[in-house]
Amino acid sequence: MQQLEAAIFDLDGVIVDTAKFHYQAWRRLAEELGFAFSERENEQLKGVSRMESLELLLRAGGITDLTEEQKEDLASRKNEWYKEYLQTLTPADVLPGVADFVGQLRSQGIGTAIASASKNAPLILEKVNIRPLFDAVVDGNSVTRAKPDPEVFLQAARLLGADPACCCVFEDAAAGVEGAVRAGMRVVGIGDSGLLARAHLIVTSFEQLEPVYLLNHIGIAGHAGGEASE
Ligand code: BG6
Ligand code: MG
């Protein structure tokens, strides 16, 4: 059996609930453009890049006649609102169980990284003061291809010196789960089992997850060797 070398975490909706701020900002843009945008429709925007999210939003609103310049302008307006919402973040916004879980993995010698599509990742990590828990950060500023492309996960594994087959990714978005599977990694879905069906294990919160339980359910052994026992 492979041994777990690294744990790679998406940021928005996994470490901190910024997914709700993305939704609020996209919904505000849709309202200004004259259409309603539901939380269900928003699911497909999760994990994908800002410009791709905008394309999906415009398609949902039946808007097809904008120039590239107009689209850039809409995307930056959304981003300004989003950054305004991010100002309210504090360390208390780190999702329940995350810090303990990541700390336990680190104490077992497992490398940890963030792999996010967001260009705002450095700002968010600073606001919630969680950067020290991660050995590496790969975000929307350093990748050339967005999820579901595996690039962001493979870059994270490379920075940690880990074999992709020995990495486990934690994701809340279908595009992210797909990217991690394409990277040849194990994947834990955080959230709705209907939307994350390709994940190897699905939980609703890190409070439900302990390293031993993880190792026993993703077909990968503990770092120190041998199978985990519950
Ligand atoms: C992902 C989010 O983490 O980052 C997407 O799930 C978002 O919803 C993408 O579009 C890009 O984020 P940002 O902050 O660079 O606009
Ligand atoms: Mg996410």
Side-chain angles (χ1 to χ4, degrees), residues 4 6-9 166-170 185-188 214 218 220:
L4 183 63
I8 301 176
F9 297 81
C166 300
C167 293
C168 182
V169 171
F170 299 83
M185 299 178 180
R186 313 300 292 175
V187 196
V188 176
L214 170 75
I218 59 165
I220 209 162

Side-chain angles (χ1 to χ4, degrees), residues 207-220:
E207 286 178 307
Q208 280 179 275
L209 209 52
E210 281 184 353
V212 168
Y213 180 88
L214 170 75
L215 297 170
N216 280 335
H217 287 83
I218 59 165
I220 209 162

